[in-house]
Amino acid sequence: MMLDKSAALITVLGRAEKLPVGRGLDLRTYKRDRSVAVVRRGGDSFEVREDGFEKRTHETTLKGLKKLLKTLLKREFPRSRKIRLYPLSTEEGPRG
């Protein structure tokens, strides 16, 4: 699914709220060379994996997810207008 960068944050937060434990969302650039993955670890716990300009793993709550994603979208997708969104069924990658 392709999203406008301006709508990506709202869409991801809405979907992340409804994710079952162990499932996630994978955001990628149009060229698919950089990504940000959000995986639900517990009731209010999320793991956010950044793989692009920097490779990091962040732990956050649903409340802190908005600020973290906003920062990561600016850093990893600075010139992107469209962002690809894939559901993650396992930790290996997008299902497809």
Side-chain angles (χ1 to χ4, degrees), residues 11-62:
T11 304
V12 170
L13 288 173
R15 288 184 178 209
E17 211 172 332
K18 299 172 187 169
L19 283 173
V21 175
R23 294 286 178 114
L25 300 170
D26 187 17
L27 293 108
R28 294 190 175 257
T29 58
Y30 182 76
K31 295 187 332 185
R32 298 185 190 114
D33 58 345
R34 293 186 302 277
S35 71
V36 173
V38 178
V39 179
R40 187 169 214 145
R41 291 289 168 216
D44 194 35
S45 173
F46 290 88
E47 178 182 303
V48 181
R49 290 184 300 239
E50 177 182 8
D51 184 19
F53 293 119
E54 296 187 23
K55 294 184 183 343
R56 295 185 185 175
T57 302
H58 308 271
E59 293 287 329
T60 187
T61 62
L62 184 60

Side-chain angles (χ1 to χ4, degrees), residues 62-76:
L62 184 60
K63 197 172 188 178
L65 190 60
K66 182 177 181 177
K67 184 176 180 180
L68 179 60
L69 281 177
K70 197 172 187 178
T71 303
L72 295 181
L73 289 177
K74 282 183 183 177
R75 184 181 328 163
E76 294 298 337

